[in-house]
Amino acid sequence: MKVLIIGGVAGGASAAARLRRVTEEAEIIMFERGEHISFANCGLPYYIGGTIKERENLLVQTVEGMEGRFGIDVRVKSEITKIDRENKKVHVKNWGTNEQYEESYDYLILSPGAKPIKFPIPGIDSEHIFSLRSLEDTDNITDFIETEKPKKAVVVGGGFIGLEMVENLIDRGLDTSLVEALDQVMPPLDYEMAAIVQKHLKDKGAKLYLSDKAISFENQKVTLDSKKELDADLVILSIGVAPESDLAKETGLGLGQRGTIKVNKYLQTSDPSIYAVGDVIEVEDLVNKAPTFIPLAGPANRQGRIAANNVGGQREVYHGSQGTSIAKVFDYTVAATGNSEKVLKKLGIKYCTSYTNSASHAGYFPGAIPMTVKTICDLKGKVLGAQIVGQKGVDKRIDVFATSIKAGMNVEDLEQLELAYAPPYSTAKDPVNVAGFVANNTLKGDMDIIHWHEIDSILGSERYLIVDVRTKEEFDNGHIENSVHIPIDEFRDNWQQIPKDKEIILICQTGLRSYLAGRLLAQKGYSDVKNLSGGYYIYNMATTEKKELSS
């Protein structure tokens, strides 16, 4: 059996190594257009910023290592220019020698990855403008910074790579601006969670230009659609990626949305002798079952392994992707898994959301820091998604949520999970347990809730009374207009002041103290009481960002 693998990095290199472990008899040839077959894409911004000191540490596997350990014929600087499906041959061009030749195959595994999106904007090919996708890109950016000594940088695109570049450029001392066409950074997050990240970025010195886009890169300036002009000695384009599927299209393989390659559950293309993996393929969304494009390293590695198993004679199914992602934004950690509220709303899927604010570990142990957790479930309680922003312990909690989605668990299951506890690491009721409690309480009707985006529509209405149960200091530092202040520790003695002929909206900083007040009122005969989910913290973050954006 002769297997050709087109493309390395996560998907292709994983497929090659796994296929050799499955069968020693196969002839395996890997073609890579660049110089490196497997490198740490996700580490590139941190090498530019200086956190990763040695370039060699970015090399996951070398040509010599792959050939020596696995007996794989690795050909770098070699591009497949044509696939002859009828005769089962590929046309190869070696860019080092300009040699062109044909290679036969029994099976192909396509792993060409994705390419940076680049719009035809005036000046976009200027020498001070870069994208970041490869080690070569990294070298070019690093060399430019070291030789040209830029002072002002503009990052275009507020996704994960864009934010990582903002952090690392600021760490290198550059005055850095971020331009994003959407009204928020980090599209996988819902707006109010992204608002927390945006405030943190500004606190760290980044200048944000949201709901705006670059229309020109001329004369060392970035001109925005809003007519603003930003000085830019260095520009990083991080607008997003598109699947590198031109070869598949020319070959006549079936394509999906955004030009992705369609594959079946075994990762076979429309030609059963050709498999495809990684950032180039269309996958099924594990939550909503719709076809989607999720270019992440974790899924690509698993797909490479599964494709190799199937080529090697096993029958293994890829069950879909759920988009679990995490990023470091200065000293914050931002993570998401499953579907966001935006996605569910777009698809017309009914859902319920709740927010919690939990300490990373026991409050009496030094260093405990709160994290904000958004839990999304369907109306029967099945977990559909989660988003977390915090400083410590975010990674392990998002992984529990990711596992719960994969396992089809509901919020009641989250309540009952027995998770590791010791004071330096968690609380006796882990943040995931607490998220389950709050979400399940909402579903059971223990407390009706109202969300941050609904508050402004009721302000000034005689029908509602907003009661804030925070401390005087918290209330004085900012509150919703016309709200009545009754601190929670005085609430039991003063609840009678609250009229029963109005709809009562209870507010505290995060939603816990107002929930306690609501339970008291419910047992005193109040029938129309709502708790502001996520409390004043979420409301203030989201509405402040909205106001700043529109000013």
Side-chain angles (χ1 to χ4, degrees):
M1 179 173 63
K2 185 176 182 180
V3 182
L4 307 185
I5 298 174
I6 302 176
V9 195
S14 295
R18 177 60 183 172
L19 186 58
R20 176 57 75 219
R21 295 196 297 273
V22 170
T23 171
E24 276 292 326
E25 305 305 317
E27 180 184 0
I28 306 170
I29 306 175
M30 179 190 292
F31 298 92
E32 170 55 51
R33 185 169 53 191
E35 289 187 59
H36 307 283
I37 58 168
S38 185
F39 58 90
N41 295 68
C42 301
L44 302 182
Y46 300 102
Y47 176 68
I48 294 171
T51 300
I52 296 173
K53 302 296 183 184
E54 301 298 328
R55 183 179 183 277
E56 290 70 25
N57 291 342
L58 296 171
L59 299 175
V60 178
Q61 183 59 276
T62 63
V63 173
E64 295 76 19
M66 187 67 85
E67 289 180 337
R69 180 170 296 182
F70 297 104
I72 292 167
D73 182 355
V74 180
R75 303 178 188 179
V76 295
K77 296 184 180 179
S78 297
E79 181 176 6
I80 306 301
T81 58
K82 181 181 177 182
I83 299 174
D84 180 354
R85 290 167 53 197
E86 185 176 348
N87 296 301
K88 285 198 166 185
K89 292 181 178 179
V90 299
H91 295 232
V92 186
K93 180 168 184 177
N94 184 309
W95 288 104
T97 64
N98 284 324
E99 175 191 7
Q100 297 189 49
Y101 60 95
E102 293 182 344
E103 196 72 58
S104 63
Y105 67 85
D106 295 308
Y107 292 99
L108 276 183
I109 299 178
L110 304 180
S111 181
K115 56 189 175 185
I117 294 173
K118 199 172 182 181
F119 295 116
I121 299 172
I124 199 167
D125 293 319
S126 301
E127 292 182 354
H128 68 296
I129 298 178
F130 303 89
S131 295
L132 180 60
R133 189 68 185 170
S134 66
L135 263 178
E136 289 77 13
D137 295 333
T138 306
D139 292 337
N140 292 336
I141 294 169
T142 303
D143 290 345
F144 183 87
I145 292 174
E146 291 176 353
T147 58
E148 300 299 323
K149 309 290 193 243
K151 302 295 184 186
K152 292 181 179 290
V154 174
V155 176
V156 182
F160 284 83
I161 295 295
L163 295 198
E164 288 168 353
M165 280 306 306
V166 168
E167 174 184 349
N168 282 282
L169 290 173
I170 288 177
D171 283 349
R172 288 203 65 148
L174 278 74
D175 183 344
T176 305
S177 299
L178 174 67
V179 177
E180 170 56 58
L182 299 176
D183 64 351
Q184 66 167 85
V185 301
M186 288 198 167
L189 299 184
D190 288 314
Y191 181 85
E192 71 282 7
M193 298 296 285
I196 303 171
V197 182
Q198 288 159 200
K199 183 180 185 304
H200 191 60
L201 283 164
K202 289 184 281 191
D203 289 345
K204 293 295 184 178
K207 300 177 180 69
L208 303 190
Y209 298 87
L210 305 178
S211 292
D212 215 341
K213 58 185 179 182
I215 60 172
S216 171
F217 297 106
E218 297 176 311
N219 302 318
Q220 302 293 109
K221 293 183 182 295
V222 178
T223 303
L224 305 183
D225 197 38
S226 63
K227 308 306 180 188
K228 295 185 179 80
E229 286 189 344
L230 311 179
D231 292 331
D233 306 316
L234 169 67
V235 175
I236 304 294
L237 300 178
S238 184
I239 305 169
V241 295
E244 187 81 77
S245 57
D246 291 345
L247 183 62
K249 183 178 181 180
E250 293 165 7
T251 305
L253 297 179
L255 300 181
Q257 59 176 329
R258 296 177 62 179
T260 49
I261 300 175
K262 275 185 170 292
V263 293
N264 64 14
K265 61 184 179 179
Y266 301 108
L267 300 175
Q268 287 172 301
T269 67
S270 54
D271 183 329
S273 63
I274 302 177
Y275 291 73
V277 301
D279 294 355
V280 76
I281 68 171
E282 178 180 271
V283 296
E284 181 180 89
D285 187 300
L286 189 69
V287 175
N288 62 53
K289 306 305 178 185
T292 189
F293 174 54
I294 300 180
L296 292 171
N301 272 284
R302 291 193 300 279
Q303 292 156 11
R305 177 185 176 91
I306 291 170
N309 285 344
N310 289 331
V311 168
Q314 302 178 23
R315 296 298 276 172
E316 186 174 349
V317 170
Y318 185 70
H319 294 286
S321 300
Q322 64 192 74
T324 304
S325 53
I326 191 166
K328 176 181 178 292
V329 182
F330 295 97
D331 51 352
Y332 272 27
T333 302
V334 185
T337 188
N339 282 184
S340 65
E341 199 175 344
K342 291 179 295 189
V343 168
L344 295 171
K345 192 175 294 184
K346 182 178 179 181
L347 294 173
I349 298 173
K350 294 183 178 180
Y351 62 89
C352 178
T353 65
S354 59
Y355 304 89
T356 50
N357 210 274
S358 300
S360 55
H361 60 255
Y364 57 83
F365 193 91
I369 300 174
M371 67 181 75
T372 302
V373 181
K374 179 175 184 177
T375 307
I376 307 172
C377 62
D378 69 16
L379 301 188
K380 293 184 178 179
K382 183 179 180 181
V383 183
L384 302 179
Q387 299 164 32
I388 311 178
V389 179
Q391 288 181 275
K392 295 181 180 179
V394 170
D395 51 347
K396 82 175 198 174
R397 274 62 184 223
I398 204 67
D399 283 343
V400 175
F401 275 108
T403 303
S404 74
I405 292 172
K406 178 67 175 175
M409 295 166 62
N410 59 39
V411 293
E412 187 174 357
D413 294 320
L414 298 182
E415 290 184 287
Q416 298 177 15
L417 287 176
E418 186 175 331
L419 302 172
Y421 163 63
Y425 304 107
S426 184
T427 51
K429 295 176 183 174
D430 189 86
V432 175
N433 298 134
V434 175
F437 295 143
V438 173
N440 204 21
N441 284 345
T442 302
L443 286 174
K444 291 187 299 185
D446 285 357
M447 171 61 69
D448 285 339
I449 60 173
I450 186 170
H451 288 292
W452 67 270
H453 55 82
E454 300 173 293
I455 290 293
D456 286 354
S457 65
I458 68 171
L459 294 179
S461 171
E462 292 295 324
R463 177 180 164 188
Y464 299 91
L465 178 67
I466 299 174
V467 181
D468 193 318
V469 302
R470 296 176 298 158
T471 65
K472 183 179 186 302
E473 290 76 15
E474 289 173 305
F475 187 82
D476 290 344
N477 282 333
H479 57 268
I480 296 173
E481 62 180 89
N482 298 323
S483 53
V484 173
H485 182 222
I486 307 177
I488 186 63
D489 292 332
E490 301 171 18
F491 197 84
R492 190 167 294 278
D493 296 326
N494 293 281
W495 63 266
Q496 297 93 337
Q497 300 175 20
I498 300 173
K500 288 188 175 181
D501 61 347
K502 292 181 181 290
E503 294 186 32
I504 309 302
I505 309 297
L506 294 169
I507 294 175
C508 71
Q509 190 67 11
T510 62
L512 174 59
R513 288 170 288 175
S514 49
Y515 167 71
L516 299 177
R519 292 305 302 154
L520 186 151
L521 291 181
Q523 294 172 74
K524 297 295 185 180
Y526 288 77
S527 59
D528 208 343
V529 179
K530 289 185 174 66
N531 187 15
L532 176 59
S533 186
Y536 184 77
Y537 177 71
I538 290 291
Y539 170 83
N540 186 47
M541 281 287 181
T543 56
T544 299
E545 284 294 308
K546 286 277 188 188
K547 289 170 186 172
E548 288 188 7
L549 195 60
S550 60
S551 62

